[in-house]
Amino acid sequence: MKAGSSLAACLILILLPAVAGAPPGERPEPEVYGVFDGDTMYTVLPPGAIPAIMEPEFVSGAAADSQMSPEEPVMGIFLDGEARAYSLWHLDAHEIVNDEIGGVPIAATW
């Protein structure tokens, strides 16, 4: 993002890398979930293996300019005068953020 852009005014989510499951050498083999239209579906991760972000922390747009790449994709929301931008690269590791904007609970999912 460039300073002065409309996204620079948004708050940016800062996330820690996710730790999902055991190290590769200790992971069990995927289980067959079922067969649909001739394609085998596998269960790769157990339920709850990808942790949701429950208490997101944000920085100003100016701080985000120094921490994020200008090409970094974000998902944004503007509600009741408040703005949030969630880094899609970070959401790849978490897939969901439970947040509150303008007193309204939301779930940002990816």
Side-chain angles (χ1 to χ4, degrees):
M1 286 183 280
K2 298 200 184 288
S5 72
S6 61
L7 286 178
C10 292
L11 298 175
I12 304 300
L13 180 65
I14 303 299
L15 307 170
L16 298 175
V19 178
E26 299 176 19
R27 291 183 186 150
E29 289 295 316
E31 295 179 24
V32 174
Y33 176 75
V35 177
F36 302 93
D37 292 329
D39 294 317
T40 304
M41 304 291 288
Y42 296 92
T43 300
V44 179
L45 295 173
I50 301 174
I53 298 167
M54 302 303 288
E55 296 180 20
E57 296 180 21
F58 297 89
V59 299
S60 68
D65 277 339
S66 67
Q67 297 175 18
M68 296 176 70
S69 164
E71 299 85 29
E72 185 164 350
V74 299
M75 174 175 53
I77 184 169
F78 185 80
L79 182 65
D80 290 337
E82 288 188 51
R84 299 278 194 275
Y86 305 96
S87 162
L88 297 186
W89 293 342
H90 287 109
L91 283 177
D92 281 346
H94 291 275
E95 298 181 353
I96 189 165
V97 178
N98 292 310
D99 201 357
E100 186 176 304
I101 300 175
V104 177
I106 68 157
T109 64
W110 173 248

